Amino acid sequence: MFDTSPSPAVSGHSGIVPGVSSGRVSQARPVHGGLDPLLARFGGGIRRRVRRGEYLFHCGASFHALYGVRAGSFKSVLLTEDGREQVTGYHMAGEILGLESIGSELCSSDAIALEDSEVIEIPFAELDALACRDAALQRELFRLLAAEIQRERGLMLLLGSMRAEERLATFLLNLSKRLAARGWSATHFILRMTREEIGSLLGLKLETVSRILSRFQTEGLISVRNREITIKRMDALKAVIGRADARREPEVS
């Protein structure tokens, strides 16, 4: 549903060399998640490096490719009618950008790099043609689309029925689970999104995000050092969801 990429210092993985480049590759280095099975059937793609703050694609641009994140992280963004940025998703290594635009001629959101990142561009026309002849590839595409639908449903549930501290606890737990599935630490990571961006994603004010993080730290659930998070009591953090004494916090107006 959402996520942030771990720090090289924490995880032991090297960073991405800054700059933007491209080139045809036959196979990406292994990353866990939806990307590897897709590339295994498709057979490659176009490697691109994207600097922090650069757009991978723009909302309203012609849709022509899916993008598998090999390293780094991205946020999906829409602009509201009054010009404010609304974060709608977070994407990390092993995940795929652009699935929500399948069936449309246009990209449905902006995708912006949160750090120097690397993606594999998979031309959709080629992928679609191959899927018509490859039942296993077609099933993998269906699986990825189903996962995207589940992500959207999860976000709607989060915003529609959870209190503020439940939303933030769910965000941290979801992030922990996604990182662990990719071989990173489940309890020690860096938040690549700012607190304001996290608030935008969760439908919370910046002050609310900061206040709840401080409360979680006071209760001994986590420790916070700038953007560095350590989950100290995983079970207690899980228990926040649905607990009767959850406090009502202001949401984004």
Side-chain angles (χ1 to χ4, degrees):
M1 182 165 50
F2 6 69
D3 208 33
T4 30
S5 187
S7 162
V10 173
S11 66
H13 284 239
S14 60
I16 300 301
V17 178
V20 180
S21 63
S22 64
R24 195 78 183 187
V25 295
S26 59
Q27 186 176 7
R29 64 179 173 84
V31 286
H32 301 287
L35 180 57
D36 278 348
L38 187 64
L39 288 178
R41 304 301 307 182
F42 181 68
I46 303 168
R47 183 173 61 191
R48 292 178 54 187
R49 287 180 176 172
V50 188
R51 292 181 187 270
R52 177 183 177 184
E54 288 188 339
Y55 286 75
L56 179 61
F57 53 78
H58 291 269
C59 181
S62 176
F63 169 71
H64 67 275
L66 299 178
Y67 299 89
V69 184
R70 290 186 68 193
S73 55
F74 292 81
K75 63 179 178 180
S76 296
V77 172
L78 291 173
L79 288 181
T80 62
E81 291 184 358
D82 58 2
R84 289 182 293 113
E85 181 182 277
Q86 174 66 52
V87 179
T88 60
Y90 178 90
H91 313 274
M92 63 187 301
E95 297 179 343
I96 297 174
L97 284 156
L99 289 167
E100 72 282 357
S101 298
I102 292 178
S104 171
E105 295 182 354
L106 303 176
C107 297
S108 61
S109 65
D110 296 328
I112 304 171
L114 291 166
E115 56 190 306
D116 292 338
S117 301
E118 184 175 293
V119 301
I120 297 293
E121 180 177 325
I122 305 170
F124 187 71
E126 296 179 28
L127 182 65
D128 189 37
L130 183 58
C132 291
R133 306 189 301 271
D134 187 330
L137 177 58
Q138 188 176 70
R139 285 194 298 271
E140 182 60 24
L141 274 176
F142 288 158
R143 187 190 68 79
L144 291 170
L145 287 170
E148 177 65 16
I149 293 171
Q150 287 290 94
R151 187 193 73 83
E152 293 287 346
R153 289 180 60 187
L155 184 57
M156 290 176 63
L157 175 65
L158 184 81
L159 297 178
S161 64
M162 289 187 175
R163 298 185 181 186
E165 67 174 24
E166 292 178 299
R167 297 182 194 184
L168 194 53
T170 299
F171 170 78
L172 293 173
L173 291 168
N174 176 270
L175 176 55
S176 170
K177 180 179 179 180
R178 290 163 69 185
L179 291 170
R182 287 154 180 80
W184 305 95
S185 173
T187 58
H188 191 189
F189 46 83
I190 300 294
L191 296 174
R192 293 301 182 189
M193 288 197 295
T194 66
R195 293 185 181 186
E196 185 174 11
E197 289 168 336
I198 293 171
S200 177
L201 178 62
L202 301 181
L204 300 173
K205 294 181 178 179
L206 168 62
E207 296 81 2
T208 301
V209 173
S210 296
R211 184 163 51 248
I212 295 174
L213 285 175
S214 296
R215 185 188 307 160
F216 285 172
Q217 179 163 249
T218 299
E219 294 176 354
L221 278 61
I222 64 174
S223 66
V224 182
R225 184 179 180 183
N226 298 321
R227 294 193 185 187
E228 186 174 341
I229 299 290
T230 300
I231 299 178
K232 302 174 71 174
R233 297 170 57 203
M234 185 73 74
D235 289 343
L237 188 60
K238 292 178 181 178
V240 169
I241 302 170
R243 73 183 185 184
D245 64 342
R247 305 181 194 181
R248 180 68 65 182
E249 296 278 359
E251 301 178 2
V252 173
S253 57

